[in-house]
Amino acid sequence: TAGSNGFEGDNNEDDFDLEPRSDPRICNVTMIGTKGQANGAVAHLGMLLRRGTIGQFGQVIVTQFNTAGVEMRDAATADQACDEGGNLTGNLVAHDSIFFNCGPDGTTFASNSDTTPDAVCQTTEVFAGWEADFGVKTTDPGLPAACANFGCDPAPTGNVPSSFNCSTIDPSFDNNGYI
């Protein structure tokens, strides 16, 4: 339905910088949006990060979201992702993940919010940093065509290899070698 997103990362809605800060640790998830589905043309994002959240995401597939793969919604979140020089802080990162077929053109992997013009960095800059430094890719993950119609259970064609160790995000995670 309208407004549904894959992940929504939120800190406190009344004080975006309130401690303790929301800091999810998520690894090995596949999120498939409703792009191309009957009644699926709604505005939605794979990852909506807002209200000053931070977090670590690893081995995640984000595909078929109508609006974009990821968006930071406010300056408080951007200020956690980047320092004053625009360099990634490591507080908000996607590791060894795949963003594919997102946005109306299929290549809108990151969307800048119109509420962050004065932020230290924008979502597209953070995403470019994830690609350059954290192994994020925008290639086809090889999900079968049946998944486009939610006919998978899932039944992917095979695992996407990954050398990233999820236990570096959280020691309770297993190292599995695939996305």
Side-chain angles (χ1 to χ4, degrees), residues 3 6 22 51 54 64-66 73 118 148 150 163:
S22 173
R51 298 179 178 157
I54 59 176
Q64 298 178 23
F65 284 87
N66 290 316
R73 185 59 56 90
D118 299 324
F150 292 106
S163 60

Short mmCIF file of all heavy atoms in Angstrom, two decimals, residues 3 6 22 51 54 64-66 73 118 148 150 163:
data_model
loop_
_atom_site.label_atom_id
_atom_site.label_comp_id
_atom_site.label_asym_id
_atom_site.label_seq_id
_atom_site.Cartn_x
_atom_site.Cartn_y
_atom_site.Cartn_z
N GLY A 3 3.09 4.18 0.84
CA GLY A 3 3.94 4.46 1.98
C GLY A 3 4.67 3.27 2.54
O GLY A 3 5.43 3.41 3.48
N GLY A 6 10.68 -1.10 2.48
CA GLY A 6 11.32 -2.33 2.94
C GLY A 6 11.80 -2.21 4.38
O GLY A 6 11.29 -2.88 5.27
N SER A 22 18.87 4.92 17.63
CA SER A 22 18.51 3.72 16.89
C SER A 22 19.70 3.28 16.05
O SER A 22 20.25 4.06 15.27
CB SER A 22 17.30 4.01 16.00
OG SER A 22 17.04 2.91 15.16
N ARG A 51 15.24 10.54 10.79
CA ARG A 51 15.16 10.93 12.20
C ARG A 51 16.44 10.65 12.98
O ARG A 51 16.41 10.33 14.15
CB ARG A 51 13.96 10.26 12.85
CG ARG A 51 12.64 10.67 12.22
CD ARG A 51 11.46 9.99 12.84
NE ARG A 51 10.23 10.47 12.21
CZ ARG A 51 9.10 9.81 12.19
NH1 ARG A 51 9.00 8.64 12.78
NH2 ARG A 51 8.04 10.32 11.61
N ILE A 54 21.17 5.56 12.74
CA ILE A 54 22.40 5.00 12.19
C ILE A 54 22.12 3.52 11.99
O ILE A 54 21.01 3.06 12.24
CB ILE A 54 23.62 5.25 13.10
CG1 ILE A 54 23.42 4.64 14.49
CG2 ILE A 54 23.91 6.73 13.19
CD1 ILE A 54 24.65 4.77 15.40
N GLN A 64 13.25 -3.81 -7.05
CA GLN A 64 11.88 -3.58 -7.50
C GLN A 64 11.08 -2.66 -6.57
O GLN A 64 9.89 -2.90 -6.32
CB GLN A 64 11.16 -4.91 -7.73
CG GLN A 64 11.83 -5.73 -8.82
CD GLN A 64 11.19 -7.07 -9.04
OE1 GLN A 64 10.03 -7.27 -8.72
NE2 GLN A 64 11.95 -7.99 -9.60
N PHE A 65 11.74 -1.61 -6.09
CA PHE A 65 11.03 -0.57 -5.35
C PHE A 65 10.77 0.60 -6.28
O PHE A 65 11.65 1.00 -7.04
CB PHE A 65 11.82 -0.15 -4.10
CG PHE A 65 11.71 -1.17 -3.00
CD1 PHE A 65 12.59 -2.24 -2.95
CD2 PHE A 65 10.69 -1.09 -2.07
CE1 PHE A 65 12.47 -3.21 -1.97
CE2 PHE A 65 10.55 -2.06 -1.08
CZ PHE A 65 11.44 -3.12 -1.03
N ASN A 66 9.57 1.14 -6.25
CA ASN A 66 9.12 2.13 -7.24
C ASN A 66 9.84 3.47 -7.16
O ASN A 66 10.09 4.09 -8.19
CB ASN A 66 7.61 2.38 -7.10
CG ASN A 66 6.80 1.20 -7.56
OD1 ASN A 66 7.09 0.62 -8.59
ND2 ASN A 66 5.80 0.84 -6.79
N ARG A 73 16.18 10.79 4.87
CA ARG A 73 15.07 11.73 4.82
C ARG A 73 15.37 13.08 5.46
O ARG A 73 14.64 14.03 5.26
CB ARG A 73 13.86 11.07 5.48
CG ARG A 73 12.56 11.79 5.47
CD ARG A 73 11.99 12.13 4.10
NE ARG A 73 11.78 11.08 3.16
CZ ARG A 73 10.70 10.34 3.00
NH1 ARG A 73 9.67 10.52 3.79
NH2 ARG A 73 10.64 9.43 2.05
N ASP A 118 20.64 21.32 3.15
CA ASP A 118 21.75 21.86 3.93
C ASP A 118 22.52 20.80 4.70
O ASP A 118 23.37 21.12 5.53
CB ASP A 118 21.24 22.93 4.90
CG ASP A 118 20.60 24.10 4.18
OD1 ASP A 118 21.09 24.45 3.09
OD2 ASP A 118 19.61 24.64 4.68
N ALA A 148 9.56 -11.65 -9.91
CA ALA A 148 8.96 -10.37 -10.31
C ALA A 148 7.46 -10.39 -10.09
O ALA A 148 6.83 -9.36 -9.92
CB ALA A 148 9.28 -10.08 -11.78
N PHE A 150 6.09 -12.30 -7.61
CA PHE A 150 5.96 -12.89 -6.28
C PHE A 150 5.59 -14.37 -6.35
O PHE A 150 4.90 -14.89 -5.49
CB PHE A 150 4.94 -12.13 -5.41
CG PHE A 150 5.43 -10.78 -5.05
CD1 PHE A 150 4.90 -9.66 -5.64
CD2 PHE A 150 6.44 -10.61 -4.12
CE1 PHE A 150 5.36 -8.40 -5.32
CE2 PHE A 150 6.91 -9.35 -3.79
CZ PHE A 150 6.37 -8.25 -4.40
N SER A 163 32.10 -12.25 0.13
CA SER A 163 33.22 -12.48 1.04
C SER A 163 33.04 -11.71 2.35
O SER A 163 33.86 -11.84 3.25
CB SER A 163 34.54 -12.07 0.37
OG SER A 163 34.49 -10.70 0.04
#
